Amino acid sequence: MDYKPLSGREFPRFSGIKTFFRLPLADAKSDCDILMVGVPYDGAVSYRPGARFAPSQIREASSLGRGFHMTRNRNVFDLKKVADGGDCSVVPIDQTQTYEKVEKHFGEILSSGKKFIAIGGDHSLALPLLRAAHRSAGEPLNLVHFDAHLDTYPAAWNCEYHHGSFLRHAVEEGLIAPDRSMQFGIRGPLAGGEDLDFVRKHGIHVFTVDDVREKNLSEFLAKIPKFKGPTYITFDIDCLDPAYAPGTGTPVVGGLTTYETQRILRALEIENLVAADLVEVSPPFDSSQITALAAVDTLFEILCLMSAN
Ligand code: MN
Ligand code: MN
């Protein structure tokens, strides 16, 4: 199969069946290198729902996606065979069954020798995705985590697995190496100062919006730590300021700009990006596709990082 996006010069970008970046559909049995897969589940949100509609909305907005990166000077779709893997089956009213399906589905993609980018859905999905990636890698992963929130919070309403607790579980289950993990875009307010205890105790590198913006951006980018080994990126769209990403469940003002996250993603030096996710886009709260377009561009930057090796 020819894993190239449908040409916008032959078929106008408003035409054609909507897939991620106008790519062909394929599955784990195909010979592609990277599968982009939707996971339309938002059963673990604490506030505004709607992220279940993100995969279809991001497919729609990605009609405007293109493959050539101006600063990297190469076309991602010339380097790797990328396809739309369709959606992972989920159970909207049962998280346990959804977790099982997600871990199995993405585990099969990895064991067929492919990489994946999962498009959520809410951030609780990062846990079964990390379980699959950790099993495939056979060692704790480096984590690059973009978020307004720490996502190390305790159980809510007696439920352990909500969209604000994936990172605590990932550390406790040994899925990631905390001292080789970093967070970008963190900001308050928090429920209490003790919310920071977990990341401090485990030595996770936390970069707040102040850290990114206090000096000039290039100085900050030069200080980003580099780690060897298999790496996973999880991108919660609410790391962006609501001006750049209004369509999300738990927006927090004072966030990163789209340009800042682009520059951070371009500055990352990752030896082996095995898998990634992009979560928390909630189309019912979006305006003029601002959030979906930010998601598409972030997916493009992640694809470029994934194609580097
Ligand atoms: Mn968040
Ligand atoms: Mn999150």
Side-chain angles (χ1 to χ4, degrees):
M1 202 199 298
D2 186 22
Y3 293 99
K4 292 283 192 267
L6 193 64
S7 165
R9 288 177 183 158
E10 202 173 337
F11 296 94
R13 291 185 178 275
F14 48 81
S15 69
I17 305 297
K18 301 301 181 188
T19 59
F20 292 121
F21 291 85
R22 315 183 92 209
L23 290 161
L25 283 167
D27 62 20
K29 295 186 217 69
S30 69
D31 67 342
C32 69
D33 304 310
I34 300 168
L35 273 180
M36 306 184 78
V37 181
V39 195
Y41 173 80
D42 62 6
V45 299
S46 57
Y47 196 54
R48 309 196 296 205
R52 65 180 63 181
F53 299 112
S56 59
Q57 185 59 232
I58 291 170
R59 282 189 178 95
E60 168 81 31
S62 74
S63 289
L64 281 172
R66 289 167 171 85
F68 187 84
H69 199 295
M70 274 182 66
T71 53
R72 295 179 189 272
N73 198 34
R74 54 185 185 239
N75 192 314
V76 60
F77 301 120
D78 290 340
L79 295 172
K80 297 287 173 186
K81 292 183 256 182
V82 190
D84 185 323
D87 284 351
C88 176
S89 165
V90 300
V91 183
I93 57 170
D94 191 317
Q95 189 183 38
T96 305
Q97 287 189 65
T98 298
Y99 268 28
E100 284 166 6
K101 284 171 177 282
V102 169
E103 189 177 340
K104 182 166 180 285
H105 189 79
F106 287 90
E108 282 167 4
I109 291 170
L110 293 169
S111 53
S112 72
K114 297 173 181 52
K115 299 180 173 192
F116 70 74
I117 304 177
I119 294 98
D122 73 50
H123 216 163
S124 73
L125 294 165
L127 187 60
L129 292 167
L130 279 165
R131 285 173 180 159
H134 170 260
R135 178 170 304 119
S136 167
E139 59 179 301
L141 303 156
N142 308 334
L143 183 71
V144 182
H145 174 199
F146 290 82
D147 211 319
H149 309 93
L150 295 158
D151 285 1
T152 55
Y153 305 113
W157 312 291
N158 288 322
C159 296
E160 277 289 340
Y161 302 103
H162 54 83
H163 75 154
S165 67
F166 90 89
L167 183 55
R168 177 169 57 83
H169 291 292
V171 171
E172 287 170 354
E173 294 181 21
L175 309 179
I176 63 154
D179 59 335
R180 285 184 273 121
S181 295
M182 41 192 165
Q183 298 181 301
F184 295 99
I186 302 297
R187 54 197 184 268
L190 304 171
E194 69 282 1
D195 278 355
L196 287 161
D197 291 351
F198 188 91
V199 287
R200 285 185 182 139
K201 180 176 141 201
H202 292 278
I204 294 172
H205 304 267
V206 179
F207 298 110
T208 64
V209 178
D210 284 343
D211 293 329
V212 175
R213 207 169 288 161
E214 236 156 28
K215 299 199 180 119
N216 80 52
L217 185 57
S218 300
E219 274 179 65
F220 171 74
L221 298 175
K223 285 193 303 193
I224 296 175
K226 301 163 183 45
F227 303 111
K228 295 213 177 306
T231 300
Y232 186 103
I233 295 180
T234 184
F235 194 101
D236 181 333
I237 203 80
D238 71 26
C239 68
L240 294 170
D241 189 273
Y244 297 87
T248 193
T250 44
V252 185
V253 301
L256 298 172
T257 68
T258 315
Y259 180 68
E260 284 164 343
T261 58
Q262 284 177 329
R263 290 293 303 275
I264 293 169
L265 285 161
R266 287 172 201 166
L268 294 174
E269 286 179 29
I270 297 177
E271 191 181 53
N272 181 20
L273 180 59
V274 292
D277 66 56
L278 183 144
V279 294
E280 297 287 343
V281 173
S282 181
F285 296 96
D286 204 1
S287 319
S288 307
Q289 285 193 333
I290 300 171
T291 317
L293 287 167
V296 169
D297 191 76
T298 302
L299 291 170
F300 171 62
E301 293 289 348
I302 291 173
L303 272 174
C304 291
L305 283 164
M306 207 169 255
S307 306
N309 44 56

